Amino acid sequence: MKRLTRLKQPKMNGQSSEASTNSSSSPSHAKTSNLLIKNQQFIESTLSDAGDLQRRHFKIEDKKASLYYLSSVTEYEKIERMLGSAFDSKRSLDDMLEHAAMFVPTNSKNKVIEALLEGRSVLLIDGEEMIYLLDTGSIIKRDTAEPMNEKVVRGSHEGFVEDLGTNVHLLRRRISSRQLAIQYHKIGTDTNTSVCIVYMKNIANPQLVQEVSKRIDSIEMDMTFSPGFIEEFLEDSTFSPFPQVLNTERPDRTMAAVMDGQIAIMIEGSPTCIITPITFFAFYQSPDDYNSRFYVGTFYRMIRILSFLIAILLPAIYIAVVGFHYEVIPNDLVLPVKTSVEQIPYPPIIEAIIMELTIELIREAGVRLPSPIGQTIGIVGGLVIGDAIVTAGLVSNIMIIVVALTAIAAFVVPSTEMNTSVRILRFPFMFAAATFGFFGISFAGMLLLIHLCKLESFGIPYFSPVAPFQWKDLKDTFLRMPVWLMNLKPTAYKPLKRRQQGYSRRWAKNE
Amino acid sequence: MIKKMILLLCCLVLMSGCWDSRYLKDLQLIYSGAFDLEEDGQIRTTVSIPRADSGKDQQAQTRTVTAIGNTTRQSRLNIDHEVSGRLDAAKTRVILISDEAAKTDVYSYLDVFYRDPRSPLNANIAITKGKAEPYLKLKVENHPLVSEYLRDLIDAGEQATIFPVTNIQFVCPILFDPGQDVILPYLSIREDSEDIHGDQIALFNERKFSGALGTEDSTMLLLLMDKFKRTANFTVRVTDDKYPRLNDFITVQVVGIDRDLTVVEEAGGIHADINLTIKVNAVEYPEDGFAERELTVKLNEKLGKHFQDVANRTLRQLQEANCDALGIGLELMAYDRDVWLKYSNWKEVYPNIELHAHTKTEIVTHGIIN
């Protein structure tokens, strides 16, 4: 007990001191003074512990001036260039301050500090109440290279980067519409991470937009570092195994979602964009579907949905068949199957769990290791364990086939989140099958369906267009109809505007 | 509460399915069974259990076990005592019943299958000439599993319209139908060879075995029943002066039939007429000469006459065996209920009804040479 209080004590202190500093510095109505010395004191005292705070004092047209910046986030050449080009011109100081675009005036103390932290330099001039902000931030950018885990065969090979500005730029360039709305929010009382939500004003449902910004604004945290972090604050049901937002690093995918009336949430410092609300079937679509011929797109979409069933049900079905209902094995197959399981020393559920866990181990090890070693692990895991475990008589070779098929099927899903969900989901099914056979599988399947039908993402039914059933939306769910036939946007996201195109092939009739 | 939950979860994981699972690895699967009638009225059941040695070269082996009991179920339970692991009949493919046993009541032997939800409903049933046990103990070259061999034999017979397509499920309603009788494949081991011959049909009078039909007759019966499957072959002697002798014969393959059954009551008796048109493809006729129309006409006539003879013979045998395989009674029951009620003693009436076939034959093609 004592220990607890002792541990708690400094925390309490920290909180109170934080609260007091917040109250002293944060009110946005605190104004700057027209005395240079007061402004200097204010900056120096607020950032008293910032060792990288740099100050330069000089004179402009007989007025004392000071320039403050944080050297770690500022590019020195930029300051030099900006100030140099500004004061070389023949204009007077007042004229310049008034008209030059590079000087952004403010009289809010709060904004000054924020600007400094963001990498801008502030220019203080004696006798001026306004403080001028210069955009001199240094940005270390990575290439907008194609994201590793969302590769497509054809189509855009661009990907988001860690810099929010660049990401917004990528989106803006794709949708140059006056209707594109970009709302900035701040999350994290200490980190001040910028978050922006992007949507189409004339398509996205206003209630939805309001709900999303409400949920973002109500996040109370001192920091945030990844979309996965804020994802759980936004979701309707955190305890559902299914992801309710789509993570993507592809600008083209984000753009398509925004044009469907969905909302994209982007966070400074992360290349991942969150798309919400989302339906179950959106996880099984890939930009590749639209880049290939429609037969091909439809075929692969069907394969993906089949893979969902295989990944969830195959081990369960194997367990049920070998443990309960061997009658369903075709006559000519029953002897080979029987021979294969004859020498296995334990029930099928244990056999299945051993193999499934082995596969999960190999996968997890493969992800963490650098790629040359990862491959070795794959070979050791796949070939050596797979072959040796059968020869040793620990696991039947049919089980190896089942597990391998299941693992491959789980990886077919284009989204990593759904992929992991599906892999977890197969375990309850396996236990249900081991307990009640086919009856257990159908029971678990029913529970899963009930859950899927009940689930909502921002008030949008998750299992749409299957439940509630929307005949017209099936065109782009199980099938991928030719694009010119999909005249309407999906109803699931309740867009303001349903029509997305007219009849584009009028020429085909004239001939 | 949490402790209880954890305990429950552990139980679920560790003991899942313990009370009602039937692991495939612990079972002994019966692939085929044979029923014989002992002299003292007891039942002798023989089962064939395959066993595949695990290892790279899986050579399937069969173990045959026999036991005697008062009922079929008892004899099977007795077999269970001789076999390690639990015996299971769900994957049975063929059930053999000796003709001796079938003469008493074939249903008595099958009853055990209809009461078990896991019964192999698609298993074939066949009647054997003599004891059924030797059929399962037969060593067949290239066929390590005698059950598969029997199954393939019956399958081939079904495709060639020699055997009716039957299994445990199909047989049951006919066994209980007063207007129709069962026919089953009839297997025999001939004295001149050691192989099993599957070329006959066993006729049943209600539930009792009452006669058999030879190859040609069995095919004709199935054609008369409108049960033509994939092929049906006949070899017919059309002349008797050619040299070498095989030039006297023509082999035809049925390509299609057209059957019409009419049953009417006339002058106090039942008249059943079957009009059967058989379209055939001449698959072998060394004499040739199909280019001439006259030959075709002549052959049609000869074939027609032969088929008429076979059909007459078949129907006579059918009536002698008192086997209403054609379902004449069923026809009456369905379309002329008053008449059916009048002949409530149908089984006594049937052997004496006027049952006639009128066949017509047409050679429609004669292979790819002209």
Side-chain angles (χ1 to χ4, degrees):
Chain A
M1 219 36 213
K2 253 183 192 169
R3 203 176 216 186
L4 258 179
T5 48
R6 216 191 295 158
L7 268 175
K8 254 185 177 172
Q9 206 58 44
K11 221 179 184 180
M12 291 295 287
N13 277 343
Q15 268 179 4
S16 65
S17 70
E18 185 185 85
S20 66
T21 48
N22 272 358
S23 64
S24 69
S25 66
S26 71
S28 51
H29 50 79
K31 292 279 187 303
T32 50
S33 153
N34 58 356
L35 286 174
L36 177 64
I37 191 87
K38 275 205 167 176
N39 287 340
Q40 281 175 342
Q41 272 170 1
F42 157 68
I43 292 176
E44 301 257 356
S45 65
T46 315
L47 296 173
S48 57
D49 288 339
D52 53 349
L53 182 71
Q54 303 290 325
R55 31 191 103 66
R56 291 282 176 279
H57 306 292
F58 46 91
K59 273 190 176 174
I60 311 172
E61 292 185 1
D62 293 337
K63 281 183 181 171
K64 274 193 198 166
S66 294
L67 185 77
Y68 282 87
Y69 59 91
L70 290 173
S71 61
S72 54
V73 285
T74 318
E75 215 167 310
Y76 190 71
E77 285 86 50
K78 273 193 185 172
I79 302 175
E80 196 128 275
R81 211 166 48 234
M82 276 190 173
L83 290 181
S85 67
F87 296 109
D88 273 356
S89 63
K90 299 284 182 278
R91 290 196 275 182
S92 70
L93 177 65
D94 290 337
D95 189 36
M96 186 121 68
L97 291 177
E98 214 165 302
H99 297 291
M102 66 187 80
F103 297 105
V104 182
T106 179
N107 62 354
S108 154
K109 280 184 173 176
N110 209 25
K111 274 204 179 149
V112 169
I113 298 299
E114 262 176 33
L116 269 173
L117 293 175
E118 275 167 15
R120 281 184 270 185
S121 329
V122 296
L123 179 66
L124 293 73
I125 298 171
D126 195 23
E128 292 262 352
E129 198 192 336
M130 288 292 170
I131 288 180
Y132 298 92
L133 312 177
L134 281 85
D135 199 356
T136 55
S138 73
I139 298 163
I140 298 162
K141 261 193 261 180
R142 171 167 79 83
D143 276 353
T144 55
E146 179 161 38
M148 282 285 283
N149 48 9
E150 275 182 284
K151 283 204 168 131
V152 293
V153 181
R154 275 200 288 149
S156 151
H157 295 295
E158 227 167 17
F160 284 136
V161 293
E162 280 74 7
D163 177 49
L164 184 61
T166 314
N167 293 349
V168 173
H169 159 84
L170 286 175
L171 262 189
R172 215 353 134 213
R173 222 177 45 198
R174 271 158 208 275
I175 313 174
S176 45
S177 157
R178 68 187 74 181
Q179 304 287 2
L180 185 72
I182 297 171
Q183 260 185 36
Y184 283 89
H185 296 257
K186 293 264 183 209
I187 299 183
T189 46
D190 282 346
T191 56
N192 269 324
T193 313
S194 300
V195 172
C196 81
I197 66 177
V198 183
Y199 57 92
M200 289 297 284
K201 242 191 303 179
N202 63 337
I203 301 174
N205 194 308
Q207 273 177 305
L208 200 65
V209 177
Q210 215 182 346
E211 183 65 31
V212 170
S213 39
K214 193 178 92 191
R215 288 193 194 180
I216 285 182
D217 285 335
S218 63
I219 295 175
E220 265 188 62
M221 272 193 100
D222 58 355
M223 61 89 104
T224 179
F225 68 90
S226 75
F229 217 74
I230 70 161
E231 200 178 298
E232 296 198 342
F233 291 103
L234 303 179
E235 270 174 352
D236 292 65
S237 7
T238 320
F239 292 104
S240 164
F242 293 102
Q244 292 142 59
V245 299
L246 178 74
N247 289 280
T248 183
E249 294 185 27
R250 302 190 57 87
D252 52 349
R253 205 168 184 189
T254 312
M255 166 203 163
V258 167
M259 291 307 293
D260 269 352
Q262 284 159 283
I263 294 170
I265 304 171
M266 293 191 287
I267 299 161
E268 175 72 54
S270 166
T272 308
C273 167
I274 297 177
I275 291 170
T276 193
I278 198 76
T279 63
F280 174 78
F281 293 102
F283 288 97
Y284 284 88
Q285 298 171 351
S286 156
D288 252 348
D289 296 349
Y290 301 95
N291 295 332
S292 48
R293 301 197 62 77
F294 106 92
Y295 299 108
V296 182
T298 302
F299 175 71
Y300 283 106
R301 200 166 270 184
M302 299 263 199
I303 291 267
R304 275 185 227 129
I305 291 182
L306 184 74
S307 83
F308 172 73
L309 295 179
I310 291 179
I312 283 191
L313 294 178
L314 196 63
I317 288 176
Y318 171 78
I319 290 168
V321 165
V322 172
F324 291 85
H325 319 279
Y326 58 88
E327 301 94 357
V328 303
I329 309 175
N331 272 337
D332 296 328
L333 211 59
V334 78
L335 209 56
V337 174
K338 185 168 162 49
T339 315
S340 140
V341 298
E342 197 105 48
Q343 303 301 326
I344 308 304
Y346 25 66
I349 176 75
I350 306 283
E351 187 192 350
I353 284 182
I354 289 178
M355 245 7 251
E356 292 290 352
L357 288 184
T358 312
I359 285 276
E360 294 304 306
L361 274 178
I362 293 171
R363 190 202 85 96
E364 194 59 19
V367 170
R368 302 284 162 249
L369 288 170
S371 52
I373 306 177
Q375 278 175 4
T376 321
I377 289 290
I379 292 166
V380 169
L383 296 179
V384 178
I385 295 183
D387 189 47
I389 210 163
V390 170
T391 321
L394 297 180
V395 170
S396 66
N397 37 24
I398 308 271
M399 187 71 228
I400 299 279
I401 297 170
V402 165
V403 168
L405 258 181
T406 315
I408 293 169
F411 284 115
V412 167
V413 191
S415 149
T416 328
E417 283 70 40
M418 191 49 110
N419 168 347
T420 40
S421 302
V422 163
R423 264 185 291 120
I424 293 298
L425 265 180
R426 86 169 76 113
F427 289 99
F429 271 88
M430 273 156 56
F431 284 117
T435 318
F436 298 113
F438 279 162
F439 177 73
I441 295 181
S442 41
F443 190 70
M446 248 149 59
L447 283 182
L448 183 76
L449 266 183
I450 291 172
H451 174 73
L452 273 174
C453 291
K454 219 184 96 205
L455 199 60
E456 283 187 354
S457 160
F458 287 88
I460 301 298
Y462 191 64
F463 212 39
S464 171
V466 171
F469 189 70
Q470 296 286 347
W471 173 251
K472 283 190 174 164
D473 290 357
L474 291 183
K475 271 189 207 171
D476 199 15
T477 306
F478 297 108
L479 310 175
R480 202 282 283 171
M481 293 302 266
V483 178
W484 54 272
L485 279 175
M486 297 189 280
N487 291 333
L488 300 177
K489 294 182 185 300
T491 45
Y493 312 117
K494 304 204 169 61
L496 293 181
K497 176 177 108 171
R498 282 227 51 206
R499 198 163 182 79
Q500 66 183 3
Q501 63 185 2
Y503 184 65
S504 313
R505 288 167 63 92
R506 231 170 280 284
W507 46 267
K509 272 184 187 163
N510 291 342
E511 305 229 345
Chain B
M1 186 60 198
I2 288 173
K3 268 186 190 167
K4 265 186 191 168
M5 290 285 281
I6 291 172
L7 196 74
L8 212 72
L9 259 172
C10 285
C11 284
L12 183 69
V13 173
L14 295 175
M15 300 163 64
S16 58
C18 275
W19 74 89
D20 66 344
S21 57
R22 301 171 305 129
Y23 296 142
L24 181 61
K25 63 187 171 99
D26 301 334
L27 292 171
Q28 293 290 334
L29 296 174
I30 297 177
Y31 258 36
S32 50
F35 297 117
D36 282 311
L37 187 63
E38 290 289 290
E39 273 166 22
D40 55 359
Q42 284 194 311
I43 311 297
R44 172 188 283 273
T45 303
T46 311
V47 297
S48 154
I49 303 165
R51 195 178 54 113
D53 285 330
S54 51
K56 282 283 175 270
D57 306 312
Q58 296 176 358
Q59 186 66 38
Q61 293 177 340
T62 311
R63 184 179 168 202
T64 321
V65 189
T66 306
I68 298 176
N70 288 321
T71 63
T72 38
R73 177 63 79 182
Q74 194 186 19
S75 57
R76 196 164 104 192
L77 290 173
N78 288 340
I79 292 176
D80 217 343
H81 300 156
E82 291 179 33
V83 174
S84 67
R86 206 155 27 144
L87 210 57
D88 196 286
K91 287 267 111 177
T92 308
R93 297 176 186 197
V94 183
I95 291 157
L96 301 177
I97 301 172
S98 73
D99 48 5
E100 236 173 290
K103 268 175 197 156
T104 56
D105 183 352
V106 73
Y107 175 75
S108 313
Y109 296 89
L110 298 177
D111 181 71
V112 62
F113 293 104
Y114 295 123
R115 288 181 197 280
D116 183 359
R118 295 187 198 280
S119 276
L121 287 181
N122 61 350
N124 287 116
I125 309 175
I127 307 297
T128 60
K129 193 169 192 171
K131 291 274 182 206
E133 190 184 335
Y135 287 77
L136 289 191
K137 295 200 164 157
L138 202 73
K139 287 265 180 292
V140 189
E141 270 179 56
N142 293 335
H143 266 279
L145 296 180
V146 71
S147 319
E148 303 233 339
Y149 169 71
L150 287 170
R151 176 83 180 214
D152 292 348
L153 189 74
I154 294 172
D155 250 8
E158 284 175 359
Q159 293 307 318
T161 326
I162 295 169
F163 294 149
V165 179
T166 57
N167 58 34
I168 290 188
Q169 189 180 7
F170 291 168
V171 157
C172 183
I174 307 177
L175 277 175
F176 288 100
D177 192 339
Q180 205 180 1
D181 287 316
V182 170
I183 50 174
L184 289 173
Y186 191 42
L187 308 180
S188 54
I189 301 182
R190 282 200 213 142
E191 280 163 16
D192 56 339
S193 76
E194 302 222 315
D195 286 332
I196 300 173
H197 287 259
D199 54 0
Q200 286 177 291
I201 282 183
L203 303 175
F204 281 78
N205 175 13
E206 286 183 320
R207 299 172 183 183
K208 294 182 185 66
F209 174 73
S210 59
L213 285 183
T215 318
E216 214 177 20
D217 302 1
S218 66
T219 307
M220 182 52 77
L221 174 61
L222 290 167
L223 292 184
L224 287 168
M225 286 167 72
D226 207 3
K227 292 276 170 64
F228 173 60
K229 279 289 282 188
R230 196 168 295 167
T231 58
N233 291 294
F234 291 96
T235 302
V236 180
R237 182 167 205 153
V238 283
T239 48
D240 40 27
D241 50 358
K242 298 285 190 297
Y243 181 84
R245 190 172 160 273
L246 69 92
N247 287 9
D248 283 336
F249 291 84
I250 179 168
T251 301
V252 293
Q253 200 171 46
V254 178
V255 291
I257 59 162
D258 197 0
R259 188 203 74 148
D260 185 31
L261 169 69
T262 45
V263 184
V264 286
E265 192 200 20
E266 250 173 34
I270 304 289
H271 289 256
D273 292 280
I274 302 169
N275 288 315
L276 180 68
T277 309
I278 307 173
K279 290 179 184 135
V280 296
N281 170 19
V283 286
E284 187 180 12
Y285 187 54
E287 275 297 293
D288 203 26
F290 285 109
E292 291 164 44
R293 178 79 193 133
E294 287 151 34
L295 179 82
T296 315
V297 172
K298 210 180 86 193
L299 283 176
N300 276 347
E301 215 170 274
K302 291 249 179 179
L303 282 173
K305 191 176 167 301
H306 177 78
F307 285 146
Q308 184 66 51
D309 288 347
V310 175
N312 290 344
R313 194 171 69 213
T314 309
L315 291 179
R316 204 174 57 241
Q317 278 172 291
L318 214 57
Q319 277 183 303
E320 271 167 20
N322 200 358
C323 171
D324 189 2
L326 291 159
I328 310 276
L330 197 67
E331 196 81 6
L332 273 182
M333 221 191 292
Y335 296 113
D336 215 341
R337 186 145 180 85
D338 294 338
V339 178
W340 169 253
L341 291 175
K342 208 158 76 189
Y343 296 102
S344 53
N345 54 344
W346 176 244
K347 274 291 157 188
E348 287 160 37
V349 175
Y350 173 73
N352 304 315
I353 64 165
E354 297 289 327
L355 182 55
H356 295 294
H358 313 280
T359 62
K360 232 176 92 185
T361 314
E362 248 179 80
I363 299 175
V364 287
T365 55
H366 34 78
I368 55 167
I369 57 163
N370 245 331

